[in-house]
């Protein structure tokens, strides 16, 4: 990737490039530009009659009937899938280089959806139009209503083809977006009384209570949230990200980047050279689980290997962009609770 491209990153691009949100967007943008057409023939909803939904921009989308040809950001599609709502097309990290489902695809069968774009700034408008979309759904990582992974250059063309729905995942706790996705799925015809759905919500609530108790019992345990690239190590702040804001509200003691460092990235994270990766002291490290980020086992930097938390094996994965179904949010909460429960003070 050229330095010129890096220099042209907008604030939105910075969020995609940095450790707090979308490190992989820049890294994977250098990869395959081909969009996979899975030829899916899925239904969006069994609900009949007029449909409307007010999104987090305050925009109300009204249709004569519930949308059946749904196109969504991959993580949104994965959440809707857990509630029984299938989409026709997706955009965003969907398949890995070996053709397997990306972590953000959840339980979806990625061979049955049309992939309009697999990396940042990739969105096949022609394929999108061919799907005859009823609605496009994505998340939003800012307060300006910017739809995640919808390219700036083609957003106007995309907007003319179908109305859009935006679910905010910016500067709020996880439970808020979870509820909004629940409401959206219900409006699309999902059975929210199904045992699988209600039991998942109960498991999430139980996991949250477990985390609250663990954090209260061990307030001295410091948790650092990181993401790794070949050149830099990103330390996320606990503000703005829905999962970290929620965990902090439950009492988790997070390591915070310096204010000056966060200011440079809009408040999201701090960038450290590998030589300075030991700047912050931590007992537990949560590491970005997206396919674009370097995994802990693959980090070869000596400074990383000398970190007390690394030497103690106190590292867990973090769902940096959580799939917004209760089912998918149980494991991250339980994992952090267990890590704190078992953690030794090493910082």
């Amino acid at each position: 990737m050229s330095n010129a491209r890096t220099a042209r990153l907008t604030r939105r691009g910075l969020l995609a490039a940095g450790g707090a949100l979308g490190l992989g967007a820049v890294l994977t943008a250098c990869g395959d530009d081909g969009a996979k057409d899975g030829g899916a023939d899925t239904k969006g909803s069994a609900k009949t009659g007029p449909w409307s939904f007010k999104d987090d921009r305050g925009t109300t989308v009204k249709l004569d009937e519930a949308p059946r040809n749904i196109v969504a950001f991959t993580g949104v599609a994965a959440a809707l899938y857990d509630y029984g709502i299938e989409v026709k097309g997706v955009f965003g990290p969907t398949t890995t280089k070996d053709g397997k489902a990306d972590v953000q695809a959840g339980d979806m069968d990625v061979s049955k959806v049309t992939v309009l774009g697999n990396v940042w700034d990739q969105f096949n408008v022609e394929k999108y139009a061919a799907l005859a979309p009823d609605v496009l759904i994505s998340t939003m990582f800012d307060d300006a209503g910017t739809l995640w992974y919808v390219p700036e250059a083609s957003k106007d063309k995309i907007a003319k083809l179908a109305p859009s729905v935006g679910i905010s995942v910016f500067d709020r706790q996880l439970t808020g977006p979870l509820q909004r996705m629940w409401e959206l799925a219900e409006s699309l015809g999902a059975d929210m009384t199904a045992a699988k759905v209600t039991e998942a919500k109960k498991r999430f609530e139980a996991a949250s209570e477990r985390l609250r108790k663990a954090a209260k019992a061990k307030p001295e345990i410091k948790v650092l949230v990181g993401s790794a690239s070949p050149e830099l190590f990103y330390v996320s702040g606990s503000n703005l990200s829905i999962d970290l804001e929620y965990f902090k509200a439950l009492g988790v003691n997070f390591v915070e980047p310096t204010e000056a460092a966060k200011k440079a990235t809009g408040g999201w994270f701090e960038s450290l050279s590998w030589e300075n990766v030991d700047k912050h002291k931590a007992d537990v490290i949560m590491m970005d689980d997206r396919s674009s980020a370097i995994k802990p086992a693959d980090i070869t930097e000596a400074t990383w290997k000398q970190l007390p938390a690394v030497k103690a094996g106190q590292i867990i994965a973090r769902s940096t962009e959580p799939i917004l179904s209760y089912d998918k949010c149980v494991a991250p909460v339980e994992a952090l609770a267990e890590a704190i429960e078992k953690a030794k003070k090493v910082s």
Side-chain angles (χ1 to χ4, degrees), residues 257-267 269-270 279:
T258 62
E259 290 303 316
K262 287 196 297 181
K263 186 176 181 181
T265 62
F269 56 90
E270 176 180 9
K279 176 179 177 179

Side-chain angles (χ1 to χ4, degrees), residues 302-318:
T303 49
W304 163 262
K305 294 181 179 180
Q306 291 304 310
L307 293 178
V310 174
K311 294 172 73 174
Q314 296 179 172
I315 307 172
I316 62 170
R318 176 203 175 196

